[in-house]
Amino acid sequence: MKQEALRRAQPLAAYLELTYRCNWRCVFCYNPRHSDHDPLSLAEWLVVLDDLRRLGSLTVTLTGGEPLAHPQFLELARAARARAFAIRIFTNAALVDDALAAEIAALYPQTVEVSIHGASAPIHDRATGQPGSFDGMWRGVELLRRHGLRVFLKSPLTSLNEHELEEMVALVTGRGLPFHVDPSLTPRDDGDLAPLAFAPSREAVARLMRLQGVSHSLTPVRREEGAVNCGLGRLTVAIDPEGNVFPCIQWRQRSMGNVRATPLREMWAASPVRGEAAQVALDANAAMIAAGGALAEFPFCPALAFRRGGDALAADGVTLQQANMAAELRRELER
């Protein structure tokens, strides 16, 4: 199905950034602000959902900001389910109470993905800029679990929490929850590089790779000539709170347009920005094969490469370092 969708440029996965509002103030947040200037109305979002159905999307991810801070979150989520989308929710869970957990459970979401930023309240709360956020997050998680929801925890690895990495893994997995730690921070969507100041140390990334082992970052990518690097411009689409459309949630170089000016289904078919992004995904695969060595076998995100280094077809220093570390650890495991 994925190969056919790649051929047809069918956006299987849609990311709807419902709002920039958030009850946390994470110091490394990629959002450029925490307020909405001219957000889409419920009626406008419903048109977007109808167009996604026509485009053949299967999964809708409701994110933000904090999506639960959107005053019509439940109406939007119900509308997505009424159109037979599988839905995922990205949240910090701190706004969840028992009633809301029950309403979310009635939606039968594929997953509810919750952010955690440390193994202890002082570290987590320092990262979020919100005292009590650690306890609030766990209250929300337990309420969601009590209602039978599939909860998945995730965390960026940062200079703030790297010394708690092992404790964080033990805390989450000890509660029987799946957990993923991402070693890469991203600039803000407006290009501000400030979040990168909280990047983890090389030593911490190596520890993470050892913990995750061959099931994650150490699994080599098998690239083939003529294949695409990723679903950029083909499999994914992202819409921000004000209706701007992007060919990937990370690809913020240029918007494809705005749904208030051009219907999404028309934009997807005719946008030169989408076509350029799709070509980048093809060229990026070729570039990694040509680079050879560790890069040829390591996951590569052209959007992050551009945002961090200015070239979508060349690995930035962070990616190159991580690729070499993964290759070194693979050799060590083989020995």
Side-chain angles (χ1 to χ4, degrees):
M1 182 177 67
K2 180 180 177 181
Q3 292 305 313
E4 179 64 12
L6 281 168
R7 186 187 68 80
R8 295 162 52 123
Q10 179 178 341
L12 298 180
Y15 293 81
L16 308 187
E17 298 176 302
L18 301 183
T19 180
Y20 284 126
R21 302 176 192 176
C22 189
N23 51 315
W24 289 359
R25 292 293 182 270
C26 298
V27 294
F28 37 73
C29 182
Y30 55 81
N31 279 329
R33 61 180 188 271
H34 295 94
S35 60
D36 296 326
H37 294 165
D38 187 20
L40 295 180
S41 67
L42 175 61
E44 288 170 322
W45 276 120
L46 296 184
V47 172
V48 168
L49 289 171
D50 287 336
D51 279 354
L52 288 171
R53 280 283 293 166
R54 295 185 181 97
L55 288 169
S57 299
L58 300 181
T59 301
V60 166
T61 298
L62 305 175
T63 181
E66 170 49 56
L68 301 186
H70 191 287
Q72 295 171 300
F73 167 79
L74 285 173
E75 289 94 326
L76 283 162
R78 290 173 187 139
R81 288 297 290 125
R83 288 159 176 77
F85 292 113
I87 64 172
R88 296 191 303 164
I89 301 168
F90 291 178
T91 177
N92 61 40
L95 297 178
V96 173
D97 57 21
D98 191 67
L100 182 55
E103 295 281 9
I104 293 173
L107 298 168
Y108 295 98
Q110 193 173 21
T111 57
V112 180
E113 301 189 15
V114 178
S115 300
I116 181 173
H117 298 295
S120 63
I123 297 302
H124 178 96
D125 293 0
R126 179 183 173 195
T128 66
Q130 183 67 34
S133 60
F134 184 75
D135 293 337
M137 177 273 297
W138 278 118
R139 279 194 300 272
V141 166
E142 293 306 322
L143 286 169
L144 292 167
R145 297 181 76 189
R146 190 179 304 166
H147 284 274
L149 286 151
R150 296 173 61 192
V151 181
F152 182 102
L153 263 65
K154 56 189 179 181
S155 175
L157 185 63
T158 69
S159 58
L160 298 179
N161 68 16
E162 62 177 52
H163 68 286
E164 290 192 338
L165 171 60
E166 289 79 6
E167 291 83 356
M168 194 161 47
V169 171
L171 174 65
V172 176
T173 59
R175 297 192 183 202
L177 291 163
F179 186 38
H180 178 70
V181 182
D182 189 342
S184 298
L185 291 178
T186 66
R188 294 201 175 97
D189 287 348
D190 59 4
D192 185 356
L193 299 179
L196 302 186
F198 296 92
S201 67
R202 185 185 190 282
E203 181 271 337
V205 174
R207 284 164 44 218
L208 174 62
M209 286 185 175
R210 289 179 184 278
L211 283 171
Q212 293 183 332
V214 295
S215 63
H216 289 91
S217 54
L218 298 189
T219 304
V221 175
R222 304 302 183 190
R223 300 184 185 276
E224 299 179 2
E225 295 284 353
V228 295
N229 175 77
C230 57
L232 175 62
R234 290 179 171 86
L235 297 184
T236 64
V237 62
I239 300 98
D240 78 10
E242 287 146 17
N244 300 303
V245 181
F246 302 90
C248 167
I249 199 165
Q250 294 284 7
W251 189 265
R252 302 287 169 150
Q253 284 83 315
R254 281 198 296 156
S255 167
M256 292 165 52
N258 190 286
V259 296
R260 285 172 166 151
T262 307
L264 178 60
R265 63 186 184 278
E266 296 178 14
M267 192 188 310
W268 183 262
S271 169
V273 173
R274 186 192 68 77
E276 292 165 8
Q279 184 62 44
V280 166
L282 188 64
D283 294 343
N285 184 70
M288 293 303 102
I289 291 175
L295 283 173
E297 296 187 327
F298 193 72
F300 176 68
C301 177
L304 286 182
F306 182 86
R307 294 170 71 180
R308 291 193 297 219
D311 188 342
L313 301 181
D316 61 283
V318 173
T319 300
L320 180 58
Q321 181 189 75
Q322 292 181 8
N324 287 329
M325 291 168 63
E328 179 182 332
L329 287 170
R330 278 200 301 271
R331 289 192 295 269
E332 181 181 314
L333 286 174
E334 289 166 1
R335 290 195 296 270

